[in-house]
Amino acid sequence: MSTPTDRTETTSPFGSVDEVVDALAEQGYIADRRLATTVFLLTRLEKPLLLEGPAGVGKTELAKMLALATGRRFLRLQCYEGQDETKALYEWDYGKQLLYTQMLREKIAEIVQDAPDIKTSVERIAAQDSVFFSEEFLAERPLMEAIRSDEPVVLLIDEVDRADEALEAVLLETLGEFQISVPEVGTFQAQNAPYVILTSNNTRDLAAALKRRCLHLFLDYPTAERELEIVRSKETGLPEATARELVEVVRGLRELELRKAPSISETIDWARTLAVLGVDELNSSVLSDTVSVVVKYDKDVTKALGALPKLVDPNAEIPDAHGHGHGHGHGHGHEDNGHSSGPAPATARIVHDDEEDGPDGRSVRAAKDEEGRHVGHYAAGVEQKEKARSGEIEPPKKRPVSPGQGTRSFGAGLGKRRAL
């Protein structure tokens, strides 16, 4: 067990922000100056860094590349719903404790053999229980491992927004003091302060107490020039001009309000896919055939296919949806019947999922479920009966029933089967 005075003084491996940019670039991670400045402060101030932003912008990759750039061991805590502290901090190795108990059964018998009563026996055994709740039986999890590590580490707490709020409270001590308290043993404090990076995809708001302990940076999709530089650094094999055009197409897809926008890594995958196919000039046909590399949901694919021709060539003529082949592009006045003259361009109004699926069943049911909705029908029926009795209108004619109809009924048939 370590104490607060055990921590050794550490210095930043980077002398300046420019060194951060160069060190990350050597590992294939292209960082802008704002991100590099935040990483430099992380290493100098020894404070955790919270990165928030959409999925696929390089938050997780930054932690991995920082570990490579600094030569530190990489540890990762992947967060998920329902996760508790035993999966993040530590837990007792109960199987090992039970095994040792069986092995030491004879020794335990010797301890209590001359005890005059049960109370004395229990007291003697209780005096030995600290043996079974010691560091020997402590099963480390990522947070504890990062604190107790003899060598410096980079700790990634990935997608912390997916975990329950209770886990955030568990993290406060670790992030604030780089220490973990174990009631049965004591407090462990890091001898080498870890570089801690937390990531969040903004699926929920994080507690203010957690954010207060961290440096904070919102990491968004990069500019076109930086994304092109990232694609270029991965040596995808796609020609420079084609890669530049592809980046612009991907940026156009991100503006379509898709369920999942294409990530940077998916841009790289698309570039590699097109390079394998030998594409040196983009067209809507080859992009439509391979768009599933970056678009993962069916409705997103539909939106993307409609937008790709305009994204490749803003002056492109959209084929007529009726299949006439004349390409004059007018609507024939069919708009009220749900027809259109072709796929909507990228600038067209985005049709939301609930509109694509037709009327919302919940809203229809809610409109019908109104107080007094049956009153009008009931009153009309009563009024009609009164007029019929007074002779104002003719009473409704009763439908004649044929003599054999009753014998064909379910009840009559049942009677015959019973008779059989």
Side-chain angles (χ1 to χ4, degrees):
M1 182 180 67
S2 59
T3 62
T5 57
D6 292 331
R7 182 188 294 185
T8 58
E9 293 295 328
T10 58
T11 58
S12 172
F14 308 114
S16 65
V17 174
D18 291 334
E19 288 187 17
V20 176
V21 174
D22 295 339
L24 292 177
E26 289 178 3
Q27 305 302 327
Y29 191 93
I30 309 302
D32 58 18
R33 191 165 185 81
R34 178 165 162 263
L35 177 58
T37 300
T38 307
V39 173
F40 178 72
L41 294 175
L42 158 69
T43 61
R44 280 296 179 96
L45 302 177
E46 294 186 351
K47 288 180 68 68
L49 169 60
L50 172 60
L51 292 176
E52 293 190 282
V57 294
K59 302 187 296 294
T60 300
E61 192 70 11
L62 175 63
K64 297 177 181 179
M65 296 304 102
L66 179 60
L68 292 176
T70 58
R72 292 189 168 214
R73 188 160 65 100
F74 178 72
L75 295 175
R76 179 173 183 169
L77 173 64
Q78 182 63 52
C79 299
Y80 54 87
E81 186 177 356
Q83 188 177 32
D84 58 18
E85 64 272 14
T86 62
K87 302 300 182 183
L89 293 171
Y90 68 91
E91 61 182 334
W92 294 107
D93 192 339
Y94 295 113
K96 188 175 180 181
Q97 289 173 330
L98 181 60
L99 176 63
Y100 273 60
T101 302
Q102 297 295 330
M103 293 171 58
L104 299 175
R105 181 181 299 175
E106 295 181 0
K107 189 63 178 178
I108 294 174
E110 292 179 6
I111 294 175
V112 300
Q113 66 178 355
D114 59 343
D117 50 36
I118 295 178
K119 181 180 179 181
T120 304
S121 299
V122 171
E123 290 176 351
R124 290 183 180 180
I125 295 176
Q128 307 296 325
D129 66 355
S130 59
V131 175
F132 293 96
F133 289 94
S134 61
E135 297 181 38
E136 181 71 24
F137 299 97
L138 200 62
E140 296 180 348
R141 297 301 177 227
L143 295 184
M144 176 68 80
E145 188 176 358
I147 295 299
R148 297 188 64 194
S149 177
D150 294 331
E151 57 180 323
V153 302
V154 172
L155 172 63
L156 169 64
I157 304 177
D158 208 13
E159 297 183 326
V160 66
D161 54 321
R162 293 186 179 273
D164 298 334
E165 294 181 1
L167 185 61
E168 289 187 40
V170 173
L171 293 174
L172 297 182
E173 180 186 14
T174 305
L175 300 180
E177 290 80 27
F178 291 125
Q179 68 179 32
I180 294 176
S181 297
V182 181
E184 297 87 348
V185 179
T187 300
F188 295 91
Q189 187 162 20
Q191 298 183 17
N192 299 287
Y195 295 159
V196 183
I197 294 181
L198 303 91
T199 71
S200 168
N201 294 335
N202 290 328
T203 58
R204 68 173 179 86
D205 291 332
L206 300 177
L210 179 67
K211 289 189 173 184
R212 190 168 58 247
R213 286 164 170 78
C214 303
L215 299 172
H216 182 269
L217 180 66
F218 185 87
L219 199 59
D220 206 346
Y221 292 109
T223 62
E225 286 301 323
R226 193 162 76 88
E227 188 163 7
L228 177 61
E229 189 177 356
I230 293 172
V231 173
R232 189 187 302 122
S233 69
K234 299 302 180 181
E235 300 179 355
T236 61
L238 201 65
E240 174 77 11
T242 309
R244 181 180 296 275
E245 190 176 359
L246 179 65
V247 167
E248 292 298 334
V249 169
V250 172
R251 291 173 63 81
L253 291 177
R254 288 175 185 151
E255 296 177 358
L256 295 180
E257 298 182 6
L258 303 177
R259 179 176 175 183
K260 181 191 177 300
S263 66
I264 299 175
S265 61
E266 287 167 336
T267 304
I268 296 170
D269 291 340
W270 207 2
R272 287 173 174 160
T273 299
L274 297 174
V276 168
L277 295 175
V279 175
D280 54 10
E281 183 177 353
L282 297 187
N283 58 69
S284 60
S285 176
V286 70
L287 292 180
S288 298
D289 292 341
T290 57
V291 71
S292 59
V293 174
V294 295
V295 181
K296 308 298 184 181
Y297 294 94
D298 186 46
K299 292 181 180 179
D300 287 355
V301 171
T302 302
K303 294 178 182 178
L305 291 177
L308 279 175
K310 285 293 186 181
L311 292 176
V312 176
D313 181 7
N315 299 318
E317 293 185 4
I318 306 301
D320 184 70
H322 297 296
H324 302 317
H326 45 65
H328 48 68
H330 58 264
H332 298 296
H334 293 168
E335 288 79 7
D336 293 340
N337 294 328
H339 298 293
S340 64
S341 60
T347 56
R349 181 181 67 89
I350 300 301
V351 179
H352 297 286
D353 293 345
D354 55 350
E355 296 175 353
E356 291 182 357
D357 295 337
D360 184 2
R362 288 175 296 182
S363 62
V364 173
R365 289 192 296 272
K368 291 182 177 180
D369 190 18
E370 296 179 354
E371 184 177 356
R373 63 187 185 279
H374 300 302
V375 173
H377 300 287
Y378 177 76
V382 172
E383 183 179 359
Q384 187 177 15
K385 289 181 180 180
E386 290 294 333
K387 289 183 178 181
R389 275 197 290 266
S390 64
E392 295 182 24
I393 62 173
E394 293 184 4
K397 296 180 179 180
K398 296 183 178 180
R399 186 169 60 89
V401 180
S402 63
Q405 185 172 350
T407 61
R408 294 195 300 270
S409 67
F410 176 78
L414 181 62
K416 290 182 180 181
R417 286 194 292 272
R418 287 179 177 174
L420 293 176

